[in-house]
Amino acid sequence: MIARFTMFAGLCLALVACQDAPEAGVPAASLSSGGATGVSDVRPSGGALGLTNTERGARGLGTLSRDDRLLRAARKHVAWMAKNGRMSHRGTGGSTMSDRIKAEGYRACFAAENVAFGQKTATDVTEAWMASKGHRTNILDRRAQHGAVAHAVDGAGQTYWVMVLARPC
């Protein structure tokens, strides 16, 4: 397993290569075992995935298909980040991105995760990720076939984002 971590202006990324509808808000309490006191909203962000696909298409790369398993992993992790007031690749019980997507039934031979906080819109977070070399590398990785993006707003109005990109084995 290869892992790389970077922090930059409210952004964080991880890259791991492994061998082995209407967007209604979902109560964060339903996404985490301990409830999510103070988290006001958790939503998928098809807009951010669409903007990601625009960036990929402009460079001759294939579009990413949304995968519901990756979306569940992203939504649960972003709810955890908002509940705990921290941006991290480590989540509930010390889980990693690989742990989270595997728990949702996705067996990845490639996976990458971008996380961020503070950006209010899908456009803002996509622009921030594209302005960061490591995040842009994840977004433009030719190995990625599936993707999902979710965001959450905590009780203080702080916005958190999680993007998961992957290719199945």
Side-chain angles (χ1 to χ4, degrees):
M1 186 179 293
I2 303 166
R4 183 179 70 198
F5 299 93
T6 296
M7 290 283 293
F8 173 75
L11 302 172
C12 190
L13 69 103
L15 173 63
V16 179
C18 303
Q19 298 304 318
D20 320 273
E23 297 182 3
V26 174
S30 70
L31 297 176
S32 63
S33 59
T37 304
V39 178
S40 62
D41 198 14
V42 178
R43 294 178 181 260
S45 181
L49 189 60
L51 292 168
T52 295
N53 279 330
T54 298
E55 294 289 348
R56 290 175 60 86
R59 291 159 180 84
L61 299 170
T63 58
L64 302 170
S65 300
R66 188 182 97 171
D67 185 278
D68 289 338
R69 297 164 296 181
L70 298 180
L71 182 58
R72 285 191 303 271
R75 289 173 78 176
K76 289 176 182 178
H77 186 53
V78 81
W80 180 90
M81 290 193 326
K83 175 184 173 186
N84 290 283
R86 51 186 281 215
M87 181 184 74
S88 177
H89 289 288
R90 293 281 178 181
T92 303
S95 68
T96 65
M97 172 200 50
S98 295
D99 297 331
R100 292 186 294 272
I101 64 175
K102 186 176 180 182
E104 296 300 332
Y106 193 102
R107 184 169 177 253
C109 281
F110 164 80
E113 177 178 74
N114 290 346
V115 297
F117 72 96
Q119 298 80 7
K120 298 295 184 192
T121 68
T123 298
D124 292 343
V125 76
T126 303
E127 288 175 355
W129 281 332
M130 289 302 294
S132 163
K133 182 180 178 183
H135 297 92
R136 184 176 55 251
T137 296
N138 282 350
I139 288 170
L140 300 178
D141 197 300
R142 294 181 181 279
R143 295 172 290 178
Q145 293 177 350
H146 298 134
V149 181
H151 71 280
V153 179
D154 69 15
Q158 181 69 44
T159 306
Y160 296 82
W161 298 85
V162 173
M163 169 186 276
V164 181
L165 308 167
R167 178 179 55 82
C169 292

